[in-house]
Amino acid sequence: FGSSTDGSERRPPLSRPQRRRPRSSPLLAAMVKFSRDASNPSKACKAMGADLRVHYKNTYETANAIKGMALRTAQQYLEDVCQKKRCVPFRVYKGCIGRTPQAKEFKMSQGRWPIKSAKILLDLLRNAESNAEFKNLDTENLTITHIQVSEAQQGRRRTYRAHGRINAYMNCPCHVEMILEEKEEAVEKPEEEVKAKKFTKKQLAKR
């Protein structure tokens, strides 16, 4: 590198630290998976919605109301909710929820009619039904064995307030996943032959 005019040796220029490219982690591929698997995948169908623009809390309560229902029963129930004939009972997020006599059906007192959540779940059930038809499953014999609602990343907006202030104006979207399975046909247990009981001498003596 030579020497400078004052006789001191020049130092080599400092090299900038190179930024390492982030490696693709195996967790990114696992994010799309469901939280659980069907007990018999050949007799089950799935449906999923991500980042749905619908309130998390309302969708959570609506999904809990249809968990365990048959496909046709759940579709009819959600259509009744859209027409306000039946309500969705609020069991977890029940702060400041009004009371209605329609909630007596579920042995509760608080309930609402989240129409937007009901329509989103109806679309997902329709998607699951078409997936079942593609796998040649009996759509009249399907049951919702698993349904899960998770919080998604909030949307960030801003709103204007008094005295020149600005506050956050967030929305609360959600992810929904569901698994529907065919009911297994009940098989009668064959009758077993009754074996003769054997008694000891002491037991026979007591008799």
Side-chain angles (χ1 to χ4, degrees), residues 43-200:
K43 293 289 184 180
C45 60
K46 298 178 180 179
M48 173 185 277
D51 292 307
L52 302 174
R53 283 297 301 271
V54 65
H55 285 241
Y56 160 72
K57 293 182 180 180
N58 290 347
T59 312
Y60 176 89
E61 297 290 357
T62 311
N64 273 354
I66 65 171
K67 186 183 290 185
M69 286 187 181
L71 174 62
R72 301 301 179 204
T73 308
Q75 287 175 333
Q76 184 61 47
Y77 169 71
L78 292 174
E79 288 172 2
D80 290 344
V81 170
C82 292
Q83 297 173 9
K84 297 193 175 181
K85 293 180 180 178
R86 299 165 74 183
C87 78
V88 171
F90 276 59
R91 306 174 190 273
V92 179
Y93 302 107
K94 54 186 180 180
C96 300
I97 302 296
R99 294 178 291 178
T100 172
Q102 290 183 2
K104 291 180 181 178
E105 175 187 354
F106 307 96
K107 297 183 179 179
M108 300 288 293
S109 60
Q110 294 171 292
R112 277 185 178 176
W113 301 266
I115 295 175
K116 192 173 180 181
S117 298
K119 288 181 178 179
I120 289 288
L121 291 177
L122 272 172
D123 289 341
L124 285 174
L125 287 174
R126 198 175 299 117
N127 186 7
E129 183 179 357
S130 63
N131 293 341
E133 290 173 354
F134 180 76
K135 295 178 71 172
N136 296 324
L137 300 179
D138 183 11
T139 55
E140 302 296 330
N141 197 23
L142 289 175
T143 307
I144 304 171
T145 55
H146 167 71
I147 184 166
Q148 178 177 313
V149 181
S150 310
E151 293 183 70
Q153 185 178 4
Q154 291 186 330
R156 299 173 182 275
R157 288 185 290 170
R158 290 293 177 264
T159 185
Y160 299 97
R161 306 303 297 271
H163 311 296
R165 294 175 299 142
I166 293 179
N167 280 5
Y169 204 67
M170 318 282 276
N171 60 355
C172 303
C174 61
H175 309 305
V176 183
E177 62 181 51
M178 60 175 66
I179 298 176
L180 284 75
E181 297 184 24
E182 272 190 358
K183 286 183 181 178
E184 295 181 358
E185 296 180 359
V187 180
E188 293 184 0
K189 190 176 180 180
E191 296 181 0
E192 296 180 355
E193 296 180 359
V194 181
K195 294 182 180 179
K197 293 183 179 180
K198 295 181 179 180
F199 297 98
T200 60

